Amino acid sequence: MIDARRLRILRAVADHRTVTAAAAALYLTPSAVSQQLAALEQETGHRLVERGARGARLTVAGEILLTHANAVLAQLERAEAELADYSAGVAGTVTVAAFATGIGLVLAPAIAELTRTAPGIRVRVQDAEGDASVPMVLDRQVDVAVAVEYRGAPGDDDRRLTRVPLYSEPFDAVLPVGHRLADQDHVAVADLAKDAWIGPYPGNPCHDVVVLACEYAGFEPLLEHSSDDFHAVVALAGAGAGVALVPRSALRGTELGGVVVRPVEGVAPTRRVFAAVRQGAEGHPLIRPVLEALRAAAGPA
């Protein structure tokens, strides 16, 4: 008989690629993870994980079992949701990880709506970058992620997750007021090829958007200054330190002294935002209203 708890450990090792990282995500010791993997291999009669200098990877048998593990764990989430429905009296806490702009744009309004429509649901918020919240859902650290599409993000066909599209928004060009293109109605990214740039650090999904937009325009941006705080990015542009591409919603409530904001000519770089839960959990009577409130706060797709 295969222990479902060990299936979660197998999936964590597959996701994190090392026993140590999987153990940290599951709040276990590496030795405990190794013991549980050994027990799972004994239960199945197959070697499931190979360890090497570059970490741990699943064997063919491990990949086969992982496919079934995703289905089993999703079904267990559905079972928990149905049992919670049965016991009803909807009250409890849902933990949501979201990036700062997403908190202001959709999560805070969703919480306000839930206070009115589902007062028994308490939402606990954790600030997390747009690419960090999905792994937190998979590791059961949070219930819901408000995340940004990024390179390597789990797709719609990922059997571990259920994704709910929320909104998409363009990036605008932010230029110092004295910039040579400041008087134009729209700015072509290609026309900024020789400028110094200000942008997020590598690893931030918005960094990928900016770099890809420049690559499509035929150049690699000279990133002179780095910050994940768009208020700081705009302030640096206002000081004449360079130019930037900033998501439109991040400019709301930002002091724009010293800068001009212009739409990008042609097809603008876009940030796509979605909510994600572990597959099967979308029907949970606590989580379902949170997803509905997020979708309502985001407005029409």
Side-chain angles (χ1 to χ4, degrees):
M1 180 70 70
I2 297 174
D3 189 326
R5 292 171 298 180
R6 292 174 182 143
L7 295 179
R8 288 198 174 96
I9 289 174
L10 180 72
R11 186 160 79 178
V13 171
D15 287 343
H16 294 281
R17 306 300 176 94
T18 71
V19 168
T20 301
L26 297 172
Y27 299 101
L28 297 171
T29 64
S31 62
V33 168
S34 296
Q35 290 169 11
Q36 292 299 313
L37 287 174
L40 185 59
E41 289 179 331
Q42 187 172 5
E43 288 172 345
T44 60
H46 292 278
R47 187 179 183 188
L48 304 173
V49 178
E50 290 182 347
R51 296 172 177 82
R54 296 187 177 182
R57 67 180 185 85
L58 300 192
T59 63
V60 173
E63 292 287 356
I64 292 171
L65 182 58
L66 179 63
T67 300
H68 292 285
N70 288 331
V72 168
L73 295 174
Q75 193 59 42
L76 286 174
E77 294 281 356
R78 294 187 188 97
E80 289 180 9
E82 289 188 21
L83 287 171
D85 256 341
Y86 175 74
S87 56
V90 180
T93 299
V94 176
T95 303
V96 183
F99 59 102
T101 309
I103 291 173
L105 196 62
V106 293
L107 184 50
I111 291 172
E113 175 65 12
L114 289 166
T115 300
R116 185 180 65 82
T117 60
I121 297 177
R122 175 175 173 263
V123 178
R124 199 160 62 86
V125 179
Q126 294 188 22
D127 192 325
E129 289 298 338
D131 60 338
S133 54
V134 169
M136 294 169 72
V137 166
L138 291 172
D139 291 336
R140 303 181 70 86
Q141 297 173 15
V142 300
D143 302 304
V144 181
V146 176
V148 175
E149 199 68 63
Y150 59 94
R151 286 193 238 196
D156 290 330
D157 59 348
D158 192 305
R159 295 182 64 188
R160 301 170 299 170
L161 295 166
T162 295
R163 292 177 27 142
V164 178
L166 294 178
Y167 66 92
S168 61
E169 60 174 330
F171 281 62
D172 289 325
V174 177
L175 314 174
V177 290
H179 193 274
R180 65 187 182 282
L181 303 178
D183 293 334
Q184 295 192 10
D185 292 333
H186 292 75
V187 172
V189 174
D191 291 339
L192 302 173
K194 295 184 179 179
D195 286 270
W197 281 74
I198 311 156
Y201 284 100
N204 185 314
C206 291
H207 174 89
D208 288 347
V209 174
V210 171
V211 171
L212 285 173
C214 294
E215 288 178 358
Y216 290 149
F219 69 96
E220 182 179 344
L222 176 62
L223 284 164
E224 290 275 3
H225 311 282
S226 298
S227 174
D228 289 332
D229 184 334
F230 286 116
H231 294 275
V233 170
V234 172
L236 286 168
V243 300
L245 292 175
V246 176
R248 187 165 292 170
S249 66
L251 294 169
R252 297 176 187 173
T254 300
E255 174 56 51
L256 299 178
V259 302
V260 295
V261 178
R262 296 289 182 262
V264 172
E265 188 175 276
V267 179
T270 302
R271 173 161 75 172
R272 292 176 174 82
V273 179
F274 62 94
V277 299
R278 292 179 295 278
Q279 192 169 110
E282 66 275 7
H284 193 286
L286 293 176
I287 293 175
R288 184 174 58 241
V290 173
L291 293 176
E292 292 170 353
L294 286 169
R295 199 159 25 206

